[in-house]
Amino acid sequence: MISKKRTLTLSISLGASAALAALSAGPAGASSHIDWTSVPANAKVTGNSAANVLSPQLAEHTVAQGSNKLENPSGDIQYYGYHADGPFVPAPGAVQSPGHNVEASKTDPDKNTYLRLSGLHGADPKYNYGTHFLYQGHEMGPGGYITRINLDADAAHRVTLLATKTADGKALPNIDGSTWDPFAKKLLFTAEAGNHGAVLQADPDLGGKVQDIAGALGRGGFEGIQVDPAGNLWVVEDAGGSSPAGSTAKNPNSFVYRFVPNDKKDLTKGGKLQALQVISNRTHQPIVYTAIDAAHPNGGVFTDDTKDLHTYGTSFNTQWVTVHDTATDASGQPFDANALAKTAQATPFKRPENGVFRPGTGFKEFFFTETGDTNTTSNANGAYGGWGGVFKLAQKNPADTKGTLSVFFNGDQAHTGLDNITFVDRDHFATVEDAGDTVHSQRNALDSGYLLDLKANYAHGTAPVRFLAEGRDVSATIDSQWSALGNGFQNDGDNEITGIHVSDGDPSVGGLFGTKAPQLFSNGWRLFWNQQHGDNYAWEITQR
């Protein structure tokens, strides 16, 4: 049954007082039936490329690729997925050397945000850019930038460069995560750059501005970001930890944050940054960061609490602790969120990357991925979370201080390095791997995308459905061989899956992720993903 639609008009300040009409869908009905057949992973074969393989119920088509010329190039930013600092592929006999790239730097478009908006502009003032747009920040190369794929446009107008600098003239950092904030009417982007990272807010149209709001949220290895109905921002951090001597295991070093703004319509007015604290079932004290030092040679890698966190059937009490408040701390000045989270006795995790609210639960359940150690030789694999997995944080209300945490899925060698996550209906979510070249070689398998069922019990070896076996394009195959030479080559190797994103593009408060149960492939619900590295394809998955 197709739901009735209504049109909502939003006024969005773009510095020129332009008004945009935003398209909004009404309440969704029951979730669509998800029944995808699992496919085998693609093997990694030296020198050989491989095609992507999807469940036979699915198909994909390209919405953009790295070699797409930007409609409004700037400097060496000429293409969707390449800088103009070298050829797309190495010339015969080329030698990588300082100041001479054998191949153009890849830009690696990351997380997708899909919106339906009207009245947007591009480089051509006479062209109608349509109403369907896909936004990305770019995470690699000499500098970051923001693009908008105009899904309704022709080839000449397909990709618009929106920004390369902040409003105060500073170059954009490399960008990872993104989402839409319907209260502030801004796109939010994250920079996963440790104590140089940030949350950026940006206007959705050409000619808008980008602002670094680290004075409010601080600096950290921020990646996943979502907005709840109160206008709070939920941010997960990907900050890799150090390893104990003689080990490839990583010390838990990343935090889950919640930012409570003073004014949800203007994030620059500051607020409280909180971090998640988990209470030990053994000591009834907070599980805290433990540095690797002479007194603690293994840091927090092999503690009983780390093991318990990754044990099926366990549940932990949680609470949010304030790490910074602009009302009492140095207002307007950037701060080190990770360091303050440690001081506040928040609980570290092994590289959480993205999180989403389960739809239809009133924002009471938040699922987030943990990437883990991305090395099959890690002696933390298995019992101590080295394979990573997916956690569930439950609260009676998203604004509550207290809740409970449990592990929903523990990874293994075949399902590790989990990164982006998106719900495809109320009871199923898709999550994708960024396992890395090392794991690809160690297990002889490239990355995959998985469908997990909230009604399934994964404690006894049940395997998720592999709906996407990523291949490796020719450019990534070349890059993998160049990277292996260790000669200063500037690009990544194997392809990676990122940007998995299900949305109906609703930009209203009612369109917040987690409000409506997705009806995938119906009533405007669409599924996108990015094949990072190599040729940098942006794909849309459709139903066969």
Side-chain angles (χ1 to χ4, degrees), residues 318-456:
T318 65
Q319 60 186 7
W320 292 99
V321 293
T322 297
V323 303
H324 187 274
D325 186 348
T326 54
T328 56
D329 299 320
S331 180
Q333 299 300 312
F335 55 91
D336 189 329
N338 184 281
L340 291 181
K342 292 172 180 173
T343 300
Q345 295 192 313
T347 299
F349 295 88
K350 296 173 77 72
R351 295 183 57 203
E353 298 223 19
N354 282 274
V356 287
F357 292 101
R358 181 185 179 187
T361 64
F363 291 79
K364 296 176 183 178
E365 297 180 11
F366 183 73
F367 286 76
F368 64 92
T369 57
E370 189 182 46
T371 297
D373 294 337
T374 58
N375 196 315
T376 66
T377 68
S378 169
N379 47 348
N381 288 340
Y384 296 93
W387 296 124
V390 181
F391 283 98
K392 171 187 171 182
L393 174 62
Q395 298 183 174
K396 292 182 179 179
N397 185 293
D400 284 354
T401 299
K402 298 182 182 294
T404 58
L405 181 78
S406 58
V407 63
F408 173 74
F409 176 74
N410 271 323
D412 52 34
Q413 181 167 300
H415 316 85
T416 189
L418 300 181
D419 192 320
N420 284 189
I421 179 173
T422 189
F423 273 89
V424 300
D425 68 7
R426 189 183 188 278
D427 297 321
H428 297 84
F429 66 82
T431 185
V432 295
E433 289 181 313
D434 174 15
D437 286 28
T438 297
V439 169
H440 297 168
S441 297
Q442 290 171 333
R443 70 181 185 185
N444 190 32
L446 300 171
D447 284 340
S448 293
Y450 304 104
L451 181 73
L452 285 91
D453 185 346
L454 294 188
K455 297 179 180 179

Side-chain angles (χ1 to χ4, degrees), residues 29-113:
S31 298
S32 57
H33 182 61
I34 303 296
D35 185 15
W36 299 343
T37 303
S38 201
V39 296
N42 265 312
K44 178 174 179 174
V45 180
T46 301
N48 285 11
S49 59
N52 299 330
V53 178
L54 284 85
S55 297
Q57 297 83 9
L58 304 173
E60 66 182 8
H61 67 270
T62 306
V63 297
Q65 65 186 68
S67 57
N68 278 125
K69 185 83 171 178
L70 298 174
E71 68 160 352
N72 55 336
S74 175
D76 81 331
I77 301 175
Q78 299 282 323
Y79 304 93
Y80 173 66
Y82 293 89
H83 285 270
D85 57 358
F88 288 170
V89 293
V95 177
Q96 179 80 19
S97 61
H100 174 71
N101 293 332
V102 299
E103 185 181 81
S105 300
K106 310 294 175 64
T107 72
D108 291 1
D110 204 293
K111 190 73 173 67
N112 288 305
T113 292

Side-chain angles (χ1 to χ4, degrees), residues 23 60 68 73 142 150 169 174 233 268 287 315 335 348 375 392 411 424:
L23 307 178
E60 66 182 8
N68 278 125
N150 308 309
N174 291 326
L233 309 185
T268 64
I287 301 174
S315 179
F335 55 91
N375 196 315
K392 171 187 171 182
V424 300

